[in-house]
Amino acid sequence: MVNPQMVMYEEEFNQIQTVVDRLVKDANAKVVFIVDKNGQLIAASGDVDNLDTTSLASLTAGNIAATGGMAKLLKENEFATQFHEGEKANIHIQLVGNRVILVVIFDAKSSLGLVRLRVRKASEELNHIFEALLKKVQEPGADSPFAEITDEDIDNLFND
Amino acid sequence: MSFINYMAREINCKIVYYGPGLCGKTTNLQYIYERTNPEAKGKMISLATETDRTLFFDFLPLALGEIRGFKTRFHLYTVPGQVFYDASRKLILKGVDGVVFVADSQIGRIEANQESVENLRTNLAEQGYSLDKVPYVMQYNKRDLPEIATPEELRELLNPTKVPEYEAVARTGVGVFDTLKAVAKLVLTELKKGGP
C-alpha cells in the first residue's frame, strides 16, 4: 500500500478542531477547513452552514493535485501555498506536511499578511498532530472497524 | 485509500470511473445523480469544457447507508477520457479505492477501449496500485447502439481477468446501479480484509 489508511480518532479530532477553531478567530477568517489530499473533509470551523464543504473539499484537493502536477514538471517538490483573490472572498490554501490541506476563507475584515502569519503557526501544530496520528494508525492492533463485518452486512446496504 | 472517521462514525471511499473519451462516464454519474434521493447525495460537480467534455473530473458524493453504526459515503469521480488529458487522469487515481471501467461497445471504439485499459493499468502502477488487486468492475456501455461487439468479444479483449462485468445503457440507466453496487461491494469487502 502506497499511502497508509487515513483514520481519525476522537482524541486527535478534538486537537485538530481546537487548532482550526482558534485559527478562525486569530486570522479573522470566515471559514477554515482541513481536507486530506484525496478530497475528504477532515474538520471545519467558522461560518460553514451555508457552504458546500464537501464540494469545496473535493475541488481543493483537485487544485492541490493539479498544482502538484505542475510542480513535478518544473522539478519542484511542491507548491505548498496558493492564494486566490476575489472581489469579496479570498482563499488561502496551504499544504501541511505534504499530507493534508489547510484552507482559510476570509474577506476584507482580515488581510493576507495576518492569514499567512496565523496559518504558519497552525500548520506546525497540525503537522505534529497528524504525525502522531499516523504513528498511531500504523501501530499493530489498530484494526479496521470493518474487519468484523459480514457479507450479509454488505448485502443489506443494497437491499432497497 | 479510504478514510475512517471514528469521530463522525463514517467511512469515506473513492471510486473512479475510467474509460476512453465519450464512453459514458459522466452519463453514469448523471444518471446516478438524477435517481438518488436528495438526502443521500451532494452536489454534482463537473469541470468540463464549453462543449461539455470533461476537462478535469466530475464529482458526486453519495451516502449509501450504515454498516455497524458507520455511515458509508462514496465519492464518485470520473476522469477526462480524451487521450491528451493523461496528466489529469493520473491525479484523479490518487487514493482510489475502486475502479469502474466504462467500455464503449461500438466496434469502432474497440481500440480506444484497449488503449484506455492499458493506460489505466500504467497509471495505477505509477501510483503504486495493481489493476489486478484493486476492486475493479467492467461495464459494457451503449448496448442499445447498432454495430456493437458481443459481450464475449469485449470480455476477451478487455477483461481477461474476468472481473464482474455489466452490460449497460447509461443514457437510460440500464446497468448503471448494478455497476455501482458491484464496485461498492468489492470496496467494502476489501475494507473488511483490512485495506487495499
Side-chain angles (χ1 to χ4, degrees):
Chain A
M1 192 165 57
V2 218
N3 298 310
Q5 166 96 51
M6 177 64 109
V7 179
M8 183 59 62
Y9 300 102
E10 191 170 349
E11 186 189 349
E12 285 77 12
F13 178 82
N14 289 334
Q15 292 171 356
I16 292 164
Q17 192 65 45
T18 306
V19 174
V20 171
D21 287 340
R22 195 170 59 227
L23 184 57
V24 171
K25 285 199 202 96
D26 288 353
N28 269 341
K30 288 180 76 163
V31 174
V32 172
F33 60 91
I34 296 183
V35 189
D36 82 352
K37 281 182 101 180
N38 300 325
Q40 314 279 9
L41 184 70
I42 294 172
S45 184
D47 187 16
V48 287
D49 289 346
N50 299 314
L51 207 61
D52 182 353
T53 44
T54 309
S55 299
L56 267 172
S58 154
L59 289 170
T60 304
N63 199 334
I64 281 284
T67 317
M70 289 194 276
K72 218 170 152 188
L73 292 174
L74 297 177
K75 308 227 173 352
E76 275 289 326
N77 190 21
E78 279 287 357
F79 293 120
T81 311
Q82 290 184 42
F83 173 58
H84 302 289
E85 190 175 0
E87 274 179 27
K88 286 184 194 137
N90 310 297
I91 186 160
H92 186 279
I93 301 174
Q94 178 73 42
L95 194 57
V96 177
N98 210 358
R99 205 171 292 135
V100 295
I101 307 160
L102 174 61
V103 182
V104 180
I105 300 174
F106 63 99
D107 58 16
K109 286 185 201 131
S110 186
S111 68
L112 178 59
L114 178 67
V115 169
R116 286 182 86 144
L117 184 72
R118 301 302 190 203
V119 160
R120 199 173 303 152
K121 184 164 175 279
S123 297
E124 280 170 25
E125 291 177 61
L126 288 170
N127 204 15
H128 288 307
I129 299 169
F130 279 101
E131 263 175 22
L133 178 63
L134 207 70
K135 264 189 204 147
K136 198 165 166 179
V137 173
Q138 285 169 336
E139 275 169 20
D143 281 342
S144 156
F146 282 73
E148 304 279 302
I149 63 168
T150 60
D151 292 343
E152 216 182 334
D153 287 330
I154 297 174
D155 282 334
N156 285 339
L157 200 57
F158 298 102
N159 287 341
D160 45 16
Chain B
M1 181 183 58
S2 55
F3 172 33
I4 302 173
N5 190 334
Y6 284 87
M7 188 63 196
R9 302 213 49 91
E10 58 181 44
I11 177 127
N12 293 277
C13 306
K14 177 174 180 177
I15 292 172
V16 174
Y17 282 69
Y18 212 92
L22 296 175
C23 68
K25 301 173 288 295
T26 301
T27 311
N28 262 271
L29 256 64
Q30 278 167 342
Y31 187 83
I32 294 165
Y33 180 76
E34 281 161 20
R35 293 302 165 101
T36 307
N37 293 331
E39 64 272 17
K41 69 184 174 192
K43 209 174 146 196
M44 178 162 165
I45 288 182
S46 288
L47 302 180
T49 66
E50 283 177 358
T51 52
D52 272 340
R53 300 297 303 271
T54 303
L55 178 64
F56 195 5
F57 59 77
D58 303 302
F59 168 69
L60 174 61
L62 272 189
L64 276 190
E66 286 194 10
I67 289 189
R68 304 258 170 137
F70 273 79
K71 286 175 231 145
T72 56
R73 293 183 190 281
F74 284 82
H75 287 182
L76 312 185
Y77 286 83
T78 66
V79 298
Q82 294 178 85
V83 175
F84 53 88
Y85 288 134
D86 198 38
S88 302
R89 272 194 295 280
K90 285 180 194 177
L91 299 176
I92 292 151
L93 283 175
K94 281 187 182 173
V96 68
D97 293 300
V99 179
V100 174
F101 187 88
V102 182
D104 189 329
S105 297
Q106 297 177 95
I107 288 168
R109 296 297 285 163
I110 295 265
E111 264 181 43
N113 289 322
Q114 286 177 295
E115 274 172 27
S116 185
V117 170
E118 271 317 300
N119 178 254
L120 169 62
R121 185 175 286 282
T122 310
N123 285 345
L124 274 176
E126 264 186 45
Q127 309 289 340
Y129 299 97
S130 157
L131 184 58
D132 301 325
K133 287 190 181 145
V134 81
Y136 174 45
V137 302
M138 178 68 70
Q139 181 186 80
Y140 305 132
N141 194 22
K142 308 198 186 184
R143 300 308 299 168
D144 58 331
L145 295 188
E147 301 189 26
I148 51 175
T150 65
E152 292 74 28
E153 287 166 331
L154 290 166
R155 182 179 310 130
E156 196 186 321
L157 293 167
L158 306 173
N159 189 13
T161 52
K162 299 197 174 56
V163 297
E165 54 185 20
Y166 298 87
E167 293 186 42
V169 184
R171 212 168 35 83
T172 59
V174 176
V176 168
F177 276 96
D178 292 335
T179 310
L180 173 64
K181 283 177 186 179
V183 74
K185 264 190 187 182
L186 288 180
V187 168
L188 292 170
T189 309
E190 195 63 31
L191 276 175
K192 188 182 151 188
K193 282 191 237 159

